[in-house]
Each structure stands twice: as C-alpha cells, then as structure tokens.
Amino acid sequence: MIKILSPGMLSTVQDSGRFGLMKNGFTQSGAMDLKAMKTANALCGNDLCAPVIEMTMTGIKCEFTEDAYFCLSGANMSPVLNGVPITNNRAFLAKKGSVLSLGAAVTGLRCCLAFSGGVDVPIVMGSASLNQKLSIGGFEGRKLKKSDELELGKEFRHPDVYKTIEEDKYPSDITVRVVMGPQDDMFTDTDINLFLKQTYTVTPFYDRMGIRLSGIALKGKNGMDIISDGITFGSVQISRNGQPIILMADHQTTGGYAKIATVISCDLPKLAQAKSNDTVRFEKVSVKKAESEAIKEKKYFEKLIKG
C-alpha cells in the first residue's frame, strides 16, 4: 500500500483505457502517454497495461507502507527517494516507510508511476482508468488527494533493478506523422498543403480531452461542419475558425467537425507531453507506414519484457 502525502496538480489512476463502449457513449480514457505507461510497467515487472498513476505538471509525494518496486517514465519531475535523487526508466525498491517525492515537470508534461503488481483498484467496464467527467474508474472515481491510501497488486515478475533505458527527450518543436482523412476531401489542395507545411503553436487550451492549435486558418471547400461521426484518439478536427484540435485520451465519442487527418498511434506520446507555446508540425504518411511503425513498437516492448 502507498499513502498519498501530496497529490500533485492532477494525478489519476490510468491503464490502457476502455474499449468497445464508444457506441454506448463511454470514452476511451487511459494514459495519455501510453509509451511511458508501458515502459514503466515493463521495467517494474508488470503487464504492459497494468494500472499506473499518471501525474500532470507536478508529481505526488507518497509513503510506502510495505516493500514495493516502482518505476517512473515520461516527464522528468526530479524524483527523490528518501532524500536521494533517482532517475526515470529504472526500477527501484522502496522499503516500508520510504518516501518518494516528485516536483514540477522539468521536461515534458506527464509522468507515469508504476508499482510492482500495479495499482489495485476496481475494474469498471473492463478498465481501471478514471473517466473524470463521469466519475467512474480510477481511485473512487476521482483524482488523487492527500491521505488517499492505494492498494498494490501482488502479481508481477521480479524486475531487473540494474536495467536502465534511455529517457525520452521532449523538445518544444514536435513533428507528428498523420494519415490523411477521413474528411480530407472537404479541404482544398491549398488547405492540405498549408496544413502539412506550416508550424502550429500549442495554445493554453489543452487537456486530456484535446489540444487546440493556432496557425494560419484553413478555409475548407464548404465549411467544416459534418453530420457527427466517430472520433478516435489522434483525430485532427478542423473547427469553424479553421484551427486544428487534436483529440486525445478523453475525447468525445462523436464530433461534428471535419477530420482532416489522424495522428499515428506511435506519435501520440509526443503530443501527451506537449505544453503551451510548443510547436507542432504534421507529416503525411501512408496507412502501411503507420502499421509498420505500430508493429515495430509492439516488437520493442515484447523485447523489453523478455529482457
């Protein structure tokens, strides 16, 4: 068990998300940076999608009431264990009574904290992830607060505490690859070229639902409105003002703006770490390329688990 001494700005329990329920109006949710979640879990000896604590902007301070391994991955929040600085992307053993403290993000925005066995919370509709708008999942259907006590699971592989992998870099200039469509035919060739060639700026309006960008407005052939249809993690909507909105983990199930493109799954972690005033560029790739990158990432994590 761990006890929360300080909860940070927004700390929630997340796994890979809730699937197969969008037709019923339930969003995917899950960790924003799935790469960080999987890395922390793999190094901690867990299943890749075991529940973790996702921290945004500032991290938690917690006390271990039992011996447990843990691993951090994602944003660097200057972690300290019992007064000694430690690193991301390496498993550590915390003895009973140990205190782990994290501060503000120095690089990136979000950090995932995995524990041996995962965070033991009830599974709601197939997932441990918090849906904050509906107050379901996670820990008691809400973000963490001071004095919360979280149970840890018992099933895990003994982690290699000497294994360390390189931390991801989170530059302020981000390039993400996209597959065009499904409504790119609603835009002129000039719009498409502008979308792919210009540099957008991340506005202060970003959260787990989506990231609003600012740049030279796209015009469209006959406006941006469509009959509402399905949204996915990474959909790039163009709003009526001609500006992109990238839909993220807590995206709505349907939307009525044209979707010019979709960010490939492997590049979504880059956006999960984006902050206000960072810049974003889009690079067009084929469906075949997107699939090959997803297969490459899958093999990477399979190898990481096997050691």
Side-chain angles (χ1 to χ4, degrees):
M1 180 183 292
I2 62 163
K3 182 176 182 180
I4 304 298
L5 305 178
S6 176
M9 183 170 290
L10 176 63
S11 301
T12 63
V13 175
Q14 302 288 345
D15 57 15
S16 58
R18 205 165 269 113
F19 297 94
L21 294 166
M22 284 182 60
K23 64 182 182 294
N24 303 118
F26 294 97
T27 58
Q28 176 178 331
S29 300
M32 286 279 279
D33 187 339
L34 290 168
K35 183 180 180 182
M37 179 199 76
K38 291 178 180 180
T39 300
N41 273 322
L43 292 174
C44 212
N46 295 334
D47 178 86
L48 290 178
C49 297
V52 301
I53 295 177
E54 178 188 82
M55 302 166 287
T56 303
M57 295 188 72
T58 60
I60 68 169
K61 181 177 182 180
C62 67
E63 178 183 357
F64 289 79
T65 62
E66 60 182 293
D67 293 359
Y69 292 97
F70 71 92
C71 182
L72 295 152
S73 189
N76 182 346
M77 293 184 171
S78 304
V80 174
L81 179 63
N82 295 327
V84 179
I86 58 173
T87 62
N88 284 7
N89 290 359
R90 178 179 171 181
F92 293 89
L93 174 61
K95 292 288 189 177
K96 179 179 178 180
S98 294
V99 174
L100 173 66
S101 301
L102 294 97
V106 178
T107 62
L109 182 69
R110 295 180 171 89
C111 180
C112 288
L113 171 57
F115 302 93
S116 49
V119 182
D120 188 4
V121 295
I123 301 299
V124 180
M125 291 182 285
S127 173
S129 291
L130 172 67
N131 181 318
Q132 199 168 3
K133 291 184 182 299
L134 297 179
S135 299
I136 61 171
F139 182 79
E140 298 184 354
R142 57 170 173 79
K143 66 180 183 179
L144 300 182
K145 64 182 182 181
K146 184 177 180 180
S147 299
D148 283 342
E149 295 183 344
L150 283 72
E151 295 284 350
L152 304 182
K154 303 302 179 186
E155 294 185 11
F156 63 97
R157 301 176 302 279
H158 196 287
D160 180 356
V161 294
Y162 298 104
K163 185 171 185 176
T164 304
I165 63 174
E166 185 178 356
E167 293 186 36
D168 283 314
K169 303 293 189 296
Y170 301 114
S172 59
D173 53 329
I174 303 165
T175 298
V176 293
R177 292 163 291 181
V178 296
V179 173
M180 299 305 294
Q183 284 102 28
D184 53 321
D185 60 337
M186 292 181 60
F187 298 89
T188 65
D189 290 342
T190 299
D191 283 331
I192 298 293
N193 289 332
L194 185 56
F195 174 74
L196 293 172
K197 290 182 178 180
Q198 72 167 303
T199 299
Y200 288 98
T201 301
V202 177
T203 73
F205 303 102
Y206 65 90
D207 55 19
R208 282 182 48 86
M209 184 174 179
I211 301 171
R212 289 181 177 270
L213 304 179
S214 176
I216 302 172
L218 307 185
K219 300 186 182 301
K221 293 177 180 177
N222 295 292
M224 310 301 176
D225 291 343
I226 61 170
I227 296 174
S228 291
D229 66 1
I231 296 290
T232 190
F233 194 169
S235 292
V236 185
Q237 288 185 326
I238 304 298
S239 59
R240 289 176 183 169
N241 64 5
Q243 304 295 344
I245 305 171
I246 307 173
L247 282 304
M248 301 298 284
D250 283 345
H251 62 81
Q252 69 272 33
T253 56
T254 62
Y257 291 139
K259 296 176 287 297
I260 193 171
T262 305
V263 179
I264 70 170
S265 60
C266 295
D267 285 357
L268 289 171
K270 298 180 184 179
L271 295 169
Q273 301 293 348
K275 306 177 297 299
S276 181
N277 294 321
D278 283 356
T279 60
V280 176
R281 291 180 63 88
F282 297 103
E283 176 187 333
K284 177 183 175 181
V285 296
S286 65
V287 172
K288 184 176 181 180
K289 176 64 174 177
E291 290 174 343
S292 69
E293 288 297 301
I295 292 170
K296 185 191 301 183
E297 182 180 71
K298 183 175 182 290
K299 290 180 178 178
Y300 167 80
F301 280 112
E302 288 174 349
K303 184 178 179 180
L304 185 61
I305 288 175
K306 292 178 182 177

